[in-house]
């Protein structure tokens, strides 16, 4: 017991000595010194007390062991990084699993191409409207309706009916009408470039049947851009035509209100090359350019047929009927004889000469369609009453909206019927009932707000025709008489509406389409400035 107490007291004094700060030799007072026995005891304790399981190695062994440990740690880290792409040093297993899930989700989202899809679905800015500008109309302010009870009035026994009715636009006066553009200032003469282009002698039209492969390749080269869509008239387009000149593009369009618009794409006159007239009071149902001297013949529901003459600066009246005019055609190459169809079923022949001159295959045939009947007549034996047809085009179950002979030969007749069918008839031998060569299914249900679809021949390729479509995406289709679809014109940026009125240029590789808002679309192989 005494020895243990002595050891404890010695250790206590040793601890006090270690914790007691050394005094500065320069300070006053004696310096505490440890005895020699305590120093020896302290040294002996240090040598005997070792940490458990503590090993001693030489310097060479330590160096080799450190290298092995480093190699093992690097291999383990490499394996962990390969197995866990989201590995981060010092993260727990849960955090590593979370990073791996994030990486997999990001890889899945990137595979969906969401940025590209969102960019495609983002609404694009509308292109600037070219051509005629929309007029701002003031909204009529109606009086506020008041209750009879609040006005201390009894119930009315009779209703006050609104007897005001819609007043139709008055018809134009008979005779010539001055050629005054609506969108130009008064007393401004027509542009000289327009008059020069109008009187340009067109090249001889080449009509025939070329190789379908080359024709199809030509169609594939036709394109449309921003400058190929222009508002030419203000209302729904009912008819359109190309000027026969081949040096430049000049188009005409007529709407349901009797307005006529001329458009030259690269011109600076008017509104983006558009000049606007009003030769009729109702819809312009058909139009065509005559040969040199060039005039534009238009017929309308108002019963008048007029000839636009830029030299005289007038719209001459060439025919007037008590009923509306539906269509017309030239019976001679000099365009001096007109054949006009009226809404009441009558047919009129208008000739500017003393005698009628009929050229080519046209003297033999005239077809008349009413409801589902299409008949062919011989012009040389027409009488005022009781005319017998020389041919019949049957198999139509509903009304026929249009029918055209093929250019040059007239060996085919192309009909458009409201039974959703396009039919091609063989009229090479007109003797009784002409057979149907091909029937093509096509949706014709345009409704009341669109012009009726009409299939028309390509004057440069007499066995091919073009027609608009109500299908989505909006398109214009070109067919061969065999029923084979040669090409479909589509453009998500510039062709966004139904083009009921279509026509090919007589000599250039250009196609036009007119819609219900008064715009013309042109597909061409030459860029427009």
């Amino acid at each position: 017991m005494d020895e243990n107490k002595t050891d404890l007291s010695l250790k206590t004094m040793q601890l006090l000595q270690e914790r007691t700060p050394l005094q500065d030799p320069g300070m006053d007072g004696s310096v505490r010194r440890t005895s020699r026995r305590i120093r020896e005891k302290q040294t002996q304790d240090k040598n005997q007390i070792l940490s458990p399981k503590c090993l001693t190695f030489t310097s060479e062994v330590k160096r080799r062991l450190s290298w092995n440990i480093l190699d093992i740690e690097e291999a383990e880290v490499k394996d962990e990084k390969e197995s866990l792409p989201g590995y981060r040093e010092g993260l727990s297993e849960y955090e590593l699993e979370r990073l791996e899930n994030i990486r997999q989700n990001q890889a899945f989202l990137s595979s969906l191409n969401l940025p590209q899809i969102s960019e495609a679905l983002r609404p694009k800015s509308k292109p600037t409207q070219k051509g005629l500008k929309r007029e701002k109309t003031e909204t009529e302010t109606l009086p506020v309706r008041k209750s009879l009870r609040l006005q201390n009035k009894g119930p009315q026994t009779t209703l006050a009916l609104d007897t005001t009715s819609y007043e139709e636009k008055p018809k134009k006066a008979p005779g010539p009408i001055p050629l005054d553009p609506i969108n130009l200032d008064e007393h401004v003469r027509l542009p000289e470039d327009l008059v020069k282009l109008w009187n340009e002698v067109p090249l001889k039209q080449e009509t025939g049947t070329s190789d379908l492969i080359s024709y199809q390749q030509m169609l594939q080269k036709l394109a449309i851009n921003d400058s190929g869509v222009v508002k030419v008239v203000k209302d729904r387009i009912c008819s359109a035509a190309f000027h026969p000149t081949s040096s430049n593009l000049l188009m005409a369009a007529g709407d349901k209100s009797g307005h006529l618009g001329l458009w030259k794409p690269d011109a600076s006159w008017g509104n983006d090359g558009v000049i606007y007239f009003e030769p009729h009071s109702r819809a312009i149902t058909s139009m065509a350019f005559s040969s040199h001297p060039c005039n534009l013949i238009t017929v309308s529901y108002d019963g008048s047929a007029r000839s636009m003459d830029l030299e005289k600066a007038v719209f001459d009246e060439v025919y007037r009927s008590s009923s509306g005019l539906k269509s017309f055609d030239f019976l001679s190459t000099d365009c001096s004889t007109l054949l006009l169809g009226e809404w009441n079923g009558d047919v009129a022949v208008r000739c500017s000469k003393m005698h009628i001159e009929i050229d080519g295959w046209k003297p033999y045939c005239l077809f008349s369609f009413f409801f589902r009947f299409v008949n062919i007549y011989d012009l040389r034996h027409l009488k005022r009453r009781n005319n017998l047809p020389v041919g019949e085009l049957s198999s139509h179950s509903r009304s026929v909206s249009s029918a055209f002979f093929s250019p040059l030969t007239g060996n085919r007749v192309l009909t458009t019927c409201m039974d959703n069918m396009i039919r091609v008839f063989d009229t090479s031998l007109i003797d009784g009932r002409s057979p149907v060569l091909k029937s093509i299914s096509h949706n014709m249900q345009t409704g009341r707000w669109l012009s009726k679809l009409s299939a028309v021949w390509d004057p440069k390729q007499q066995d091919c025709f073009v027609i608009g479509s109500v299908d989505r995406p909006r398109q214009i289709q070109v067919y061969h008489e065999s029923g084979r679809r040669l090409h479909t014109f589509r453009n998500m940026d510039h062709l966004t509406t139904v083009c009921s009125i279509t026509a090919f240029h007589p000599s250039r590789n250009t196609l036009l389409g007119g819609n219900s808002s008064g715009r013309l679309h042109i597909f061409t192989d030459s860029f427009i400035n």
Side-chain angles (χ1 to χ4, degrees), residues 30 46 144 207 336 387 460 517:
S30 60
K46 288 182 179 180
V144 180
T207 306
S336 61
N387 291 285
K460 304 183 296 299
S517 61

Side-chain angles (χ1 to χ4, degrees), residues 15-258:
L15 291 174
L16 291 174
Q17 182 182 358
E18 291 177 354
R19 294 184 179 181
T20 302
L22 297 176
Q23 295 182 0
D24 190 357
M27 296 177 61
D28 297 337
S30 60
V31 178
R32 181 179 296 179
R33 301 180 182 275
T34 59
S35 61
R36 184 175 60 183
R37 182 181 297 178
I38 293 175
R39 290 179 181 177
E40 293 177 355
K41 183 65 176 178
Q42 184 178 3
T43 305
Q44 183 179 2
D45 292 340
K46 288 182 179 180
N47 294 331
Q48 292 179 357
I49 299 174
L50 297 175
S51 61
K53 298 182 182 180
C54 181
L55 301 178
T56 57
F57 301 96
T58 61
S59 61
E60 181 66 22
V61 174
K62 290 182 179 180
R63 183 169 55 84
R64 291 180 180 179
L65 182 60
S66 62
W67 288 352
N68 294 334
I69 293 174
L70 291 175
D71 293 340
I72 294 172
E73 289 178 353
E74 290 179 358
E76 291 178 353
V77 171
K78 183 177 181 181
D79 294 339
E80 289 178 357
K81 288 184 177 179
E82 292 178 354
S83 61
L84 297 176
Y87 172 80
R88 296 292 186 274
E89 184 178 1
L91 298 181
S92 64
E93 182 180 357
Y94 168 77
E95 291 174 331
L96 293 176
E97 183 178 359
R98 174 177 171 272
L99 291 176
E100 176 63 15
N101 292 337
I102 293 175
R103 187 197 66 80
Q104 293 179 0
N105 293 337
Q106 290 178 350
F108 174 73
L109 292 176
S110 62
S111 65
L112 296 178
N113 297 325
L114 293 180
Q116 293 81 354
I117 296 175
S118 62
E119 184 68 23
L121 295 178
R122 184 177 301 173
K124 298 181 179 179
S125 59
K126 294 184 178 180
T128 305
Q129 176 177 311
K130 296 184 178 181
L132 300 178
K133 306 302 179 183
R134 181 177 298 178
E135 296 180 354
K136 294 183 179 180
T137 57
E138 296 182 358
T139 305
E140 181 181 1
T141 304
L142 299 177
V144 180
R145 297 180 60 184
K146 297 181 179 180
S147 172
L148 295 177
R149 179 180 62 83
L150 296 178
Q151 300 179 43
N152 296 325
K153 295 181 180 180
Q156 293 182 354
T157 57
T158 59
L159 297 177
L161 299 178
D162 186 7
T163 58
T164 59
S165 59
Y166 174 75
E167 296 183 359
E168 294 185 358
K169 187 186 300 185
K171 290 186 176 182
K172 299 290 184 179
I177 297 176
L179 199 151
D180 296 329
I182 299 176
N183 61 333
L184 297 182
D185 296 334
E186 294 183 1
H187 308 294
V188 175
R189 299 183 59 183
L190 293 175
E192 295 182 0
D193 295 341
L194 175 61
V195 178
K196 182 179 179 180
L197 179 63
W198 188 273
N199 296 324
E200 184 177 329
V201 178
L203 297 176
K204 185 178 180 180
Q205 180 177 334
E206 295 181 1
T207 306
T209 304
S210 61
D211 183 18
L212 280 182
I213 297 179
S214 59
Y215 180 73
Q216 193 171 11
Q217 292 175 352
M218 180 273 295
L219 295 176
Q220 294 173 357
K221 295 179 181 179
L222 303 185
I224 188 173
N225 55 18
D226 291 336
S227 60
V229 182
V230 170
K231 189 174 181 64
V232 181
V233 287
K234 293 186 177 180
D235 292 322
R236 170 166 51 95
I237 294 179
C238 299
S239 58
F242 277 106
H243 190 279
T245 180
S246 59
S247 61
N248 287 281
L249 290 177
L250 180 62
M251 290 145 285
D255 66 7
K256 68 174 186 178
S257 300

Side-chain angles (χ1 to χ4, degrees), residues 293-330:
C294 183
N295 288 328
L296 177 62
I297 309 298
T298 58
V299 298
S300 172
Y301 283 167
D302 62 8
S304 64
R306 297 188 179 274
S307 174
M308 182 179 182
D309 191 341
L310 292 189
E311 291 288 340
K312 299 179 182 178
V314 295
F315 288 99
D316 280 328
E317 185 177 86
V318 297
Y319 181 77
R320 176 170 285 272
S321 172
S322 58
S323 63
L325 297 179
K326 177 64 173 65
S327 59
F328 80 100
D329 196 6
F330 299 109

Side-chain angles (χ1 to χ4, degrees), residues 228 293 346 356 362 435 465:
D346 293 341
I356 298 177
K362 291 186 178 180
F465 59 90

Side-chain angles (χ1 to χ4, degrees), residues 318 332 336-338 340 349-357:
V318 297
S332 58
S336 61
T337 305
L338 300 180
L340 303 106
V349 179
R350 168 66 168 81
C351 183
S352 59
K353 298 182 179 180
M354 296 300 297
H355 62 282
I356 298 177
E357 297 179 0

Side-chain angles (χ1 to χ4, degrees), residues 337-503:
T337 305
L338 300 180
L339 186 67
L340 303 106
E342 302 182 6
W343 270 111
N344 58 6
D346 293 341
V347 175
V349 179
R350 168 66 168 81
C351 183
S352 59
K353 298 182 179 180
M354 296 300 297
H355 62 282
I356 298 177
E357 297 179 0
I358 302 176
D359 303 321
W361 54 266
K362 291 186 178 180
Y364 305 104
C365 311
L366 165 68
F367 54 89
S368 172
F369 48 92
F370 182 74
F371 291 109
R372 58 188 180 91
F373 302 103
V374 180
N375 297 327
I376 301 176
Y377 297 89
D378 191 339
L379 288 176
R380 298 168 297 179
H381 302 91
L382 282 181
K383 299 178 294 184
R384 289 187 176 274
R385 304 287 180 187
N386 302 323
N387 291 285
L388 297 177
V390 297
E392 180 182 353
L393 307 179
S394 59
S395 74
H396 300 100
S397 61
R398 297 187 67 180
S399 62
V400 180
S401 57
S402 66
F404 297 99
F405 279 103
S406 59
L408 189 64
T409 62
N411 291 333
R412 302 287 186 269
V413 170
L414 180 66
T415 64
T416 306
C417 185
M418 294 304 296
D419 61 0
N420 297 330
M421 297 297 290
I422 304 171
R423 293 177 175 87
V424 181
F425 293 86
D426 183 8
T427 55
S428 57
L429 181 61
I430 301 177
D431 186 11
R433 182 170 295 181
S434 300
V436 180
L437 292 180
K438 188 64 180 180
S439 297
I440 306 170
S441 178
H442 195 85
N443 187 2
M444 304 293 179
Q445 309 307 315
T446 56
R448 61 176 298 186
W449 306 112
L450 302 179
S451 299
K452 291 183 178 181
L453 300 180
S454 179
V456 294
W457 296 102
D458 183 354
K460 304 183 296 299
Q461 186 81 9
Q462 67 168 356
D463 57 352
C464 299
F465 59 90
V466 61
I467 186 172
S469 175
V470 296
D471 297 338
R472 292 181 181 272
R474 300 309 186 191
Q475 54 193 263
I476 300 175
Q477 300 169 352
V478 180
Y479 288 90
H480 185 256
E481 64 178 15
S482 62
R484 174 188 171 191
R485 186 186 298 183
L486 299 179
H487 187 66
T488 300
F489 293 96
R490 294 191 186 96
N491 191 291
M492 299 299 293
D493 296 330
H494 304 106
L495 185 60
T496 57
T497 56
V498 177
C499 289
S500 302
I501 307 301
T502 55

